[in-house]
């Protein structure tokens, strides 16, 4: 394959013998490396020409220096403040200034008469608010916008003048100035010969510059275009056809290097793949089949897929050159910087600035960041970050102060301790805060690996630049503005990779392929909306105004990408075009129009749809055999006692029972910011126990309940402070939960009062929070099994003993209606199991001659009062009596469950279709 670079150099070498005063101007820096390498192979000795990209060339002609977007923004704000009586704050300004600068840049690159376009824009907005009857109602927002559009020209003129006076600028300024100075530049450099190589879409300023050089006779232009696109009406050749007809130079001269490679035979595959990951994995499979990668390019139309791609390359790829930036927002160090910002932003939001308290999640997030976590490793087993998070959870500290952090950090070295503690100092100023981050980066670099050092250095330069700009201008006054500015900065910035450009696989974006040719080309994400991109443009200039003034719109952008796509295929032999068939991402599963055009132009394309190989494996339920240690632990449990809730837990999910009771694994402790349901339940239970304890063994009177009602709120507050450690129940959701708990107890006491107001009712409190237990002999098990539990209340209503369980959740009478004990294992009846076991334990330890009643008070269903066990199928005639016979019948089922639990042959098997 003869590449465009090689062909062009052959042509140049025929007519040019010495390259001492020759300048090659190329679209990109990367192309220069390939030109230099190809040149060295073609000449044995002599001077190489000067090789520069078009950006550097324009800088040279304009005699100005291009500055980056951040510096530009600060300078623009200086000018803006001089022009405005009531300027926006810097954070508001930066939200629209980036877009305005983009528009200024485009206007300048295309040499638009600025006065004309800004007056035109102003008049459009004046027409919008014009009305025959003068009835136009202008809101404040509209007034601001119209005022802003009126002033655009004023901002532009003042800013342009400032930049020219200081010899600095954005790219558009350099272009506009270079067109003014080009004649003088050509005159001074008559002895030099200029070659413009591989260009296509030029802005108006570039057109003027190139044509001036060509007309002067000391320049040549070599275009990379195929006959197929140039001699038809194809979009890819639209720019060059325009230059052919418009430029004076091309009225007398032919266009250089129009070849006919596209029509040659090629191997082309168009591959539809479901999801981005499938595309990238398949691209890896294609690469695996190639013998070598020296003439291979993997082109990502969607550059955000770079991380996935790097993880999907086959092991045979030993050398790779990446020519695209890795977005700063995806770099791990970004999350560390954001964690530092979050500490102080939440401190301000939660009004803890005065006490210098930090929200616990923000502190844990910071110390558990990979780079910080590494510094806090105390020994092989212990990390201070883990100790800190465990302690915070145990003590339920929603907020942490700096002194506590210092205590935790005492085991680490002095330098690490000082630097990390400095992060938690009270916020003083932006300059000092930026310095904190720079110092932290300096500390982290000593422990970082090579890649992490690259990340850290990129942020070190970014924050040093911010520090310098802040010291010079002082526009960022608070942390919120700095955070917003940093967020904007990382959205547009990227980390460049340094690679060996002439070896191995070339991994690049579409724009980086300019001038370069490859034998094997794999292009991914060739979807509509990605290649070409969508039509959204961030601008203050409407579409019709752009058309009127000859500014580029999405049409030109589409033509540009059409050129890049088809140019890449011109000389290639093996082409693999992949697109995403799914509808859940950009492109909506539709292949690019470029692929459809390609299919209409050629008949040697094979198409296929691929999908990942899905290997199904039978789902095996977790199963744990009962070995000797498990059986030993079960014997221990039998001796100590199984609670009714443990038994229902076993029925619900045997694996959960195994983890909690056999392995003794407790749930992970976390800071309880919002009162948990079980905490509220404990508070309500403890309050009722405290209220009823003085009346054990006594008959309850109405005035007793009234005295209880007076104590309720005080007791609820006391028990919340006991069980919701360091938690705040005075505001927000927790206040609501506090009020609910209080209302539960008040409503319950009200129900009790109504019961006692009926003179026929006699209520005697027998016990509260009574511990009950009973030993059961189960056939086939050679040791007794103890059942134990704490019943919330036992009382006697009109001579009938009642076993009562309190539930703060919702319980319905149907949960306690049991007609057949064989169905008792169902989740619906688990509360009935608990109540009946309490009744059994009470019955077995008391000489009870009469029947008892047992049931639940559901605080969410108090209107239905005491919900009793009901054994009747007739809903009109309930049967609530718990007799000896019923308990024996119930215990047959319980013994069957225990036999199963203690059977060494039966494993613990995971439950299927758990509702929760």
């Amino acid at each position: 394959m003869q590449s465009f670079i090689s062909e062009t150099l052959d042509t140049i070498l025929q007519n040019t013998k010495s390259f001492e005063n020759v300048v090659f101007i190329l679209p990109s820096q990367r192309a220069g490396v390939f030109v230099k390498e190809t040149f060295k192979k073609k000449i044995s000795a002599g001077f190489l020409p000067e090789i520069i990209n078009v950006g550097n060339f324009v800088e040279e002609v304009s005699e100005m220096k291009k500055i980056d977007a951040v510096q530009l923004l600060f300078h623009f704000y200086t000018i803006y403040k001089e022009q405005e009586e009531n300027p926006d704050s810097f954070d508001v300004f930066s939200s629209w200034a980036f877009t305005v600068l983009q528009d200024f840049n485009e206007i300048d690159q295309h040499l638009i008469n600025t006065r004309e376009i800004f007056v035109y824009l102003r008049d459009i907005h004046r027409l919008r608010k014009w009305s025959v009857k003068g009835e136009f109602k202008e809101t404040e927002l509209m007034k601001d916008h119209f005022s802003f559009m009126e002033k655009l020209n004023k901002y532009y003129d003042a800013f342009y003048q400032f930049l020219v006076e200081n010899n600095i600028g954005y790219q558009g300024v350099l272009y506009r100035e270079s067109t003014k100075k080009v004649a003088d530049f050509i005159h001074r450099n008559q002895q030099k010969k200029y070659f413009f190589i591989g260009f296509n879409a030029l802005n108006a300023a570039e057109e003027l510059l190139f044509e001036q050089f060509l007309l002067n006779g000391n320049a040549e232009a070599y275009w990379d275009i195929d006959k197929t696109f140039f001699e038809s009406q194809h979009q890819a050749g639209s720019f060059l056809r325009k230059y052919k007809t418009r430029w004076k130079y091309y009225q007398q001269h032919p266009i250089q290097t129009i070849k006919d490679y596209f029509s040659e035979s090629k191997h082309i595959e168009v591959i539809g793949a479901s999801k981005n990951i499938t595309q990238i994995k398949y691209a890896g499979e294609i690469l695996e089949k190639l013998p070598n990668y020296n003439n291979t390019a993997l082109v990502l139309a969607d550059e955000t897929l770079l991380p996935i791609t790097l993880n999907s390359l086959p092991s045979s790829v030993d050398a790779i050159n990446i020519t695209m930036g890795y977005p700063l927002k995806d770099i791990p160090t970004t999350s560390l910087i954001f964690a530092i910002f979050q500490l102080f932003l939440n401190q301000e939001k939660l009004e803890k600035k005065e006490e210098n308290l930090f929200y616990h999640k923000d502190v844990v997030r910071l110390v558990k960041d990979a780079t910080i976590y590494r510094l806090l490793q105390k020994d092989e087993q212990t990390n201070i970050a883990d100790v800190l998070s465990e302690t915070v959870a145990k003590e339920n500290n929603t907020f942490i102060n700096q002194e506590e952090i210092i205590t935790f950090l005492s085991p680490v070295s002095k330098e690490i301790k000082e630097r990390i503690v400095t992060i938690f100092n009270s916020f003083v100023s932006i300059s000092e805060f930026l310095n904190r981050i720079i110092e932290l980066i300096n500390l982290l670099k000593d422990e970082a690996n090579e890649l992490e050092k690259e990340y850290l250095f990129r942020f070190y330069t970014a924050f040093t630049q911010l520090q310098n700009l802040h010291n010079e201008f002082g526009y960022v006054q608070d942390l919120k503005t700095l955070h917003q500015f940093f967020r904007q900065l990382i959205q547009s910035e990227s980390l460049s990779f340094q690679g060996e450009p002439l070896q191995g696989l070339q991994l690049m974006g579409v724009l980086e392929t300019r001038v370069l040719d490859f034998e094997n080309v794999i292009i991914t994400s060739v979807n509509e909306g990605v290649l070409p991109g969508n039509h959204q443009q961030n601008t203050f200039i409407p579409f019709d105004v752009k058309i009127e003034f000859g500014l580029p719109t999405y049409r030109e952008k589409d033509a540009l990408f059409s050129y890049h796509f088809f140019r890449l295929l011109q000389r290639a032999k093996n082409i693999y075009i992949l697109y995403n068939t799914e509808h859940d991402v950009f492109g909506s599963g539709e292949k690019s129009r470029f692929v459809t055009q390609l299919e209409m132009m050629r008949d040697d394309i094979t198409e296929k749809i691929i999908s990942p190989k899905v290997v199904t494996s039978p789902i095996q339920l977790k199963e744990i055999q009962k070995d000797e240690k498990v059986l030993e632990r079960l014997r221990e449990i039998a001796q100590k006692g199984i609670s009714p809730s443990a038994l229902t837990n076993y029925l619900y999910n045997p694996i959960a029972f195994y983890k909690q009771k056999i392995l003794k694994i407790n749930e992970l402790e976390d800071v309880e910011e919002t009162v948990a349901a079980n905490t509220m339940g404990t508070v309500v239970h403890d309050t009722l126990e405290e209220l009823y304890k003085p009346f054990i063994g006594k008959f309850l009177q109405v005035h007793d309940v009234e005295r209880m009602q007076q104590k309720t709120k005080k007791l609820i507050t006391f028990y919340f402070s006991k069980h919701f450690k360091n938690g705040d129940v005075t505001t927000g959701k927790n206040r609501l939960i506090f009020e609910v708990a209080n209302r539960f107890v008040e409503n319950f006491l009200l129900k009790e009062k109504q019961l006692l107001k009926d003179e026929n009712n006699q209520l005697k409190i027998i016990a509260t929070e009574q511990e009950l237990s009973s030993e059961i002999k189960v056939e086939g098990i050679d040791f007794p099994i103890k059942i134990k539990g704490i019943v919330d209340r036992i009382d006697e209503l009109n001579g009938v003993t009642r076993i009562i369980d309190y539930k703060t959740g919702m319980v319905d009478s149907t949960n306690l209606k049991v007609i057949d004990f064989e169905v008792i294992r169902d989740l619906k009846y688990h509360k009935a199991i608990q109540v009946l076991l309490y009744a059994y334990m009470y019955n077995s330890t008391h000489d009870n001659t009469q029947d008892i009643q047992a049931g639940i008070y559901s605080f969410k269903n108090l209107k239905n009062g005491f919900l009793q066990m009901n054994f009747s199928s007739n809903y009109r005639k309930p049967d609530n009596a718990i007799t000896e016979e019923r308990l024996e019948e119930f215990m047959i089922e319980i013994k069957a469950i225990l036999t199963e639990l203690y059977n060494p042959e039966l494993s613990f098997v995971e439950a299927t279709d758990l509702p929760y």
Side-chain angles (χ1 to χ4, degrees):
M1 180 198 77
Q2 178 82 315
S3 72
F4 166 71
I5 291 173
S6 182
E7 280 180 354
T8 305
L9 293 182
D10 285 344
T11 310
I12 293 169
L13 283 164
Q14 284 170 13
N15 306 315
T16 313
K17 300 303 170 205
S18 168
F19 289 91
E20 200 173 337
N21 281 320
V22 171
V23 182
F24 282 6
I25 296 142
L26 297 154
S28 67
Q29 197 72 44
R30 178 186 176 78
V33 178
F34 282 83
V35 167
K36 202 175 282 184
E37 184 62 23
T38 312
F39 210 100
K40 283 194 285 190
K41 288 175 184 171
K42 291 187 183 290
I43 58 167
S44 52
F47 282 103
L48 275 176
E50 184 187 346
I51 300 171
I52 57 171
N53 65 21
V54 69
N56 294 343
F57 171 67
V58 171
E59 263 191 52
E60 199 181 315
V61 178
S62 66
E63 297 168 344
M64 293 174 77
K65 188 175 184 301
K66 185 176 178 282
I67 57 169
D68 65 40
V70 181
Q71 283 175 287
L72 208 58
L73 195 74
F74 278 82
H75 286 306
F76 188 26
Y77 191 58
T78 307
I79 302 303
Y80 164 76
K81 278 185 23 173
E82 289 169 6
Q83 301 297 315
E84 282 293 321
E85 285 178 30
N86 302 306
D88 289 341
S89 61
F90 185 70
D91 58 322
V92 175
F93 165 82
S94 63
S95 66
W96 57 259
F98 276 115
T99 308
V100 168
L101 287 171
Q102 266 175 273
D103 286 341
F104 286 176
N105 185 42
E106 205 168 68
I107 287 167
D108 283 331
Q109 283 186 348
H110 290 272
L111 307 177
I112 307 297
N113 182 316
T114 49
R115 177 159 173 72
E116 281 180 20
I117 193 167
F118 288 128
V119 167
Y120 194 94
L121 275 171
R122 182 200 69 191
D123 291 347
I124 287 171
H125 284 83
R126 284 183 182 178
L127 277 170
R128 279 183 187 160
K129 62 177 181 176
W130 179 78
S131 160
V132 177
K133 295 177 183 175
E135 291 172 352
F136 182 76
K137 287 179 182 172
E138 202 174 19
T139 64
E140 278 303 309
L141 191 67
M142 289 164 78
K143 200 179 282 181
D144 280 352
H145 182 67
F146 289 140
S147 165
F148 170 73
M149 295 309 290
E150 295 267 344
K151 291 172 184 170
L152 266 180
N153 196 25
K154 193 170 78 166
Y155 298 155
Y156 172 84
D157 286 344
F159 191 42
Y160 192 94
Q161 191 183 341
F162 166 82
L163 293 173
V164 171
E165 282 170 4
N166 289 279
N167 274 328
I168 54 171
Y170 50 86
Q171 205 168 24
V173 173
L174 270 61
Y175 271 112
R176 200 184 274 276
E177 286 302 302
S178 66
T179 59
K180 295 174 186 176
K181 297 173 183 175
V182 65
D184 186 47
F185 181 85
I186 291 171
H187 181 70
R188 289 200 318 271
N189 294 281
Q190 284 292 352
Q191 79 285 6
K192 288 190 178 179
K193 181 82 185 266
Y194 292 89
F195 291 96
F196 300 99
I197 299 169
F199 287 90
N200 174 49
L202 305 176
N203 58 46
E206 285 170 335
E207 282 192 54
L208 192 146
L209 290 173
F210 285 25
E211 197 179 1
Q212 286 288 310
F213 273 89
L214 290 169
L215 287 169
N216 188 60
N218 65 340
E220 285 179 36
Y222 290 87
W223 309 92
D224 187 6
I225 189 80
D226 198 278
K227 204 173 177 180
T228 312
F229 310 117
F230 182 69
E231 293 180 1
S232 66
Q233 287 305 304
H234 198 285
Q235 202 178 19
S238 58
F239 291 104
L240 206 52
R241 287 196 298 274
K242 183 177 80 172
Y243 309 147
K244 175 87 175 87
T245 53
R246 284 195 196 169
W247 290 14
K248 283 180 192 169
Y249 178 79
Y250 285 125
Q251 308 302 318
Q252 288 92 31
H253 301 84
I255 283 184
Q256 300 269 34
T257 61
I258 294 178
K259 300 287 181 182
D260 188 10
Y261 287 111
F262 185 75
S263 55
E264 289 177 4
S265 70
K266 302 174 188 299
H267 171 76
I268 304 174
E269 287 184 31
V270 174
I271 303 145
S274 59
K275 304 270 182 194
N276 285 329
I277 188 75
T278 313
Q279 286 187 77
I280 302 300
K281 291 288 180 192
Y282 191 71
E285 286 183 26
I286 295 168
L287 286 169
E288 219 159 2
K289 291 170 190 168
L290 297 175
N292 64 67
Y293 308 111
N294 288 339
N295 213 344
T296 303
L298 174 54
V299 181
L300 304 184
D302 179 0
E303 294 187 12
T304 59
L305 299 180
L306 178 63
I308 307 173
T309 308
L310 293 174
N311 288 319
S312 306
L313 294 173
S315 54
S316 52
V317 176
D318 54 351
I320 182 170
N321 181 45
I322 303 165
T323 320
M324 65 177 79
Y326 192 77
L328 280 194
K329 61 184 175 62
D330 296 335
I331 285 174
T333 312
T334 305
S335 60
L336 171 65
I337 307 294
F338 274 132
I340 298 169
F341 273 113
Q342 211 58 45
L343 281 172
F344 294 93
L345 292 171
N346 273 342
Q347 188 186 60
E348 199 169 315
K349 186 179 168 185
L350 301 168
E351 297 173 359
K352 299 292 177 185
K353 204 171 175 181
E354 294 299 312
E355 307 105 294
N356 198 30
L357 289 171
F358 299 97
Y359 182 49
H360 74 98
K361 281 186 180 172
D362 295 336
V363 176
V364 171
R365 179 184 167 192
L366 178 67
V367 296
K368 287 206 168 179
D369 184 274
T371 46
I372 303 283
Y373 189 82
R374 203 183 302 141
L375 296 177
L376 300 180
Q377 193 68 39
K378 187 181 170 186
D379 51 52
E380 278 182 26
Q381 281 78 37
T382 318
N383 190 293
I384 289 155
D386 294 328
V387 174
L388 186 146
S389 61
E390 284 162 20
T391 310
V392 166
K394 200 176 286 179
E395 294 177 3
N396 207 45
N397 286 324
T398 311
F399 295 96
I400 306 167
N401 62 33
Q402 194 183 28
E403 284 69 39
E404 288 172 300
I405 293 162
I406 292 169
T407 309
F408 280 114
L409 294 175
S410 53
V412 299
S413 72
K414 191 185 173 190
E415 188 191 5
I416 292 171
K417 184 181 173 182
E418 278 176 8
R419 290 279 167 86
I420 293 174
V421 167
T422 305
I423 295 169
F424 296 93
N425 285 347
S426 297
F427 177 74
V428 182
S429 67
I430 293 292
S431 187
E432 190 274 336
F433 183 79
L434 289 168
N435 205 50
R436 271 184 222 183
I437 295 176
I438 292 167
E439 288 299 312
L440 179 67
I441 290 170
N442 274 327
L443 171 73
L444 296 174
K445 77 173 193 300
D446 299 332
E447 298 290 324
N449 60 37
E450 292 303 311
L451 189 59
E452 285 169 343
K453 278 180 181 166
E454 282 286 345
Y455 298 158
L456 291 168
F457 180 70
R458 185 68 186 80
F459 279 102
Y460 179 81
T461 54
F463 279 101
T464 308
Q465 185 191 18
L466 278 175
Q467 177 79 287
N468 294 337
L469 288 167
H470 176 71
N471 292 341
E472 186 182 344
F473 296 97
Y475 293 148
V476 180
Q477 289 303 320
D478 57 56
L479 206 57
K480 198 176 171 187
T481 308
L482 182 67
H483 176 248
Q484 186 189 321
F485 187 68
F486 176 69
R487 190 178 281 280
Q488 277 179 324
L489 185 70
I490 62 156
Q491 290 298 329
S492 56
E493 292 289 312
S494 60
L495 175 74
S496 298
F497 290 97
Q498 298 294 318
E500 173 46 68
L502 304 164
Q503 275 181 13
L505 176 70
Q506 302 292 324
L507 180 54
M508 52 177 73
V510 176
L511 288 174
E512 279 78 36
T513 62
R514 287 175 294 188
V515 189
L516 307 179
D517 294 298
F518 301 95
E519 207 160 288
N520 308 310
V521 174
I522 304 164
I523 318 175
T524 64
S525 306
V526 189
N527 279 77
E528 199 62 30
V530 180
L531 190 73
N534 57 40
H535 295 162
Q536 284 179 327
Q537 285 184 303
N538 209 7
T539 177
F540 284 111
I541 305 169
F543 181 78
D544 55 327
V545 179
K546 288 193 168 192
I547 297 288
E548 174 68 24
F549 283 89
L551 283 169
T553 63
Y554 68 83
R555 294 170 184 171
E556 282 73 23
K557 194 178 168 189
D558 287 1
L560 170 68
F561 278 100
S562 175
Y563 169 79
H564 288 314
F565 176 77
F566 285 102
R567 195 213 66 79
L568 186 58
L569 312 184
Q570 278 171 203
R571 293 173 174 80
K573 296 277 191 290
N574 302 302
I575 300 158
Y576 303 90
I577 297 165
L578 293 110
Y579 67 95
N580 186 356
T581 58
E582 289 298 304
H583 294 267
D584 56 352
V585 288
F586 269 148
S588 311
E590 187 185 343
K591 65 184 171 192
S592 169
R593 71 189 84 156
F594 298 159
V595 180
T596 312
Q597 288 170 15
L598 183 67
E599 287 167 345
M600 290 170 74
M601 294 167 80
R602 304 187 67 99
D603 54 11
D604 57 353
I605 296 171
T606 55
E607 287 194 61
K608 59 181 174 184
I609 302 287
I610 57 155
S611 56
K613 296 184 188 82
V614 179
V615 182
T616 55
S617 54
I619 297 169
Q620 285 192 319
L621 296 174
K622 272 185 202 164
E623 189 174 336
I624 293 150
Q625 307 286 341
K626 291 173 188 166
D627 59 16
E628 196 46 51
K629 284 190 176 178
V630 172
L631 293 168
E632 195 182 312
R633 176 79 188 116
L634 281 169
R635 276 193 289 274
E636 269 178 51
I637 293 167
Q639 204 177 337
K640 286 181 183 174
I642 300 176
S643 67
S645 59
L647 205 58
T648 54
N649 187 20
Y650 169 72
L651 289 174
Y652 177 66
N653 186 357
I655 296 292
F657 174 87
Y658 170 77
K659 286 176 182 174
Q660 287 171 16
K661 297 296 174 187
I662 310 295
L663 299 180
K664 300 182 187 176
I665 297 172
N666 296 320
E667 281 188 25
L668 183 72
E669 270 197 78
D670 199 4
V671 174
E672 197 181 324
E673 291 176 65
T674 303
V675 178
N678 59 346
T679 305
M680 187 180 81
T682 308
V683 168
V684 171
H685 277 70
D686 286 4
T687 303
L688 288 171
E689 185 194 2
E690 190 66 27
L691 290 170
Y692 279 91
K693 207 188 281 179
F695 302 100
I696 291 171
K698 298 176 185 175
F699 283 95
L700 207 60
Q701 306 299 321
V702 173
H703 61 83
D704 295 329
V705 179
E706 284 169 349
R707 278 209 301 278
M708 287 185 202
Q709 285 174 314
Q710 291 163 11
K711 295 178 188 174
T712 303
K713 196 152 193 172
K714 195 177 176 183
L715 282 172
I716 290 276
T717 306
F718 169 75
Y719 283 113
F720 261 116
S721 66
K722 182 182 173 184
H723 297 296
F724 186 50
K725 259 192 233 170
N726 299 316
D728 182 12
V729 288
T730 59
T731 58
K733 199 173 176 183
N734 289 341
R735 175 62 189 269
L736 296 175
I737 294 167
F738 172 85
E739 293 297 342
V740 167
N742 191 45
R743 189 70 57 85
F744 276 172
V745 177
E746 283 178 354
N747 289 350
F748 179 75
L749 293 175
L750 210 61
K751 206 85 181 159
E752 229 37 342
K753 205 168 160 183
Q754 286 166 1
L755 183 77
L756 294 170
K757 276 183 179 175
D758 186 338
E759 289 174 11
N760 297 327
N761 288 333
Q762 296 289 308
L763 180 64
K764 184 183 181 183
I765 306 298
I766 297 170
T768 63
E769 299 294 320
Q770 175 78 54
E771 202 168 308
L772 299 172
S773 66
S774 178
E775 282 197 344
I776 304 170
K777 292 270 187 198
V778 180
E779 199 178 320
I781 299 172
D782 55 4
F783 48 84
I785 297 168
K786 184 180 179 183
I787 306 271
K788 66 167 186 181
I790 297 170
V791 68
D792 293 330
R793 169 169 146 186
I794 302 167
D795 65 20
E796 200 176 274
L797 180 64
N798 304 326
V800 177
T801 303
R802 300 191 305 172
I803 310 291
I804 296 168
D805 195 21
Y806 300 139
K807 296 285 183 199
T808 46
M810 182 69 186
V811 181
D812 197 75
S813 57
T814 55
N815 297 126
L816 301 172
K817 188 173 181 176
V818 180
I819 295 142
D820 183 359
F821 285 111
E822 284 181 13
V823 298
I824 202 106
R825 286 174 180 240
D826 287 359
L827 178 63
K828 181 183 175 182
Y829 300 113
H830 283 189
K831 289 179 178 67
I833 290 177
Q834 290 180 15
V835 169
L836 285 169
L837 277 171
Y838 288 137
Y840 171 77
M841 288 186 277
Y842 179 82
N843 221 39
S844 62
T845 51
H846 293 76
D847 296 327
N848 218 20
T849 52
Q850 62 197 92
D851 297 340
I852 59 172
Q853 289 178 355
I856 288 170
Y857 269 113
S858 167
F859 292 102
K860 280 191 179 173
N861 191 13
L862 267 179
K863 66 177 186 296
N864 289 324
F866 180 52
L867 306 170
Q868 297 187 52
M869 285 300 308
N870 181 10
F871 304 98
S872 169
S873 57
N874 187 340
Y875 71 94
R876 287 197 178 124
K877 291 182 182 175
D879 180 1
N880 308 120
I882 295 175
T883 61
E884 285 275 358
E885 293 78 23
R886 275 184 183 142
L887 284 175
E888 277 176 29
E889 202 181 328
F890 164 69
M891 287 311 289
I892 290 167
E893 280 304 315
I894 294 297
K895 284 175 181 176
I897 294 164
L898 290 170
T899 305
E900 184 186 299
L901 175 60
Y902 280 86
N903 185 342
E905 302 302 317
L906 293 175
S907 308
F908 290 107
V909 180
E910 184 181 12
T912 54
D913 304 325
L914 294 176
Y916 310 113

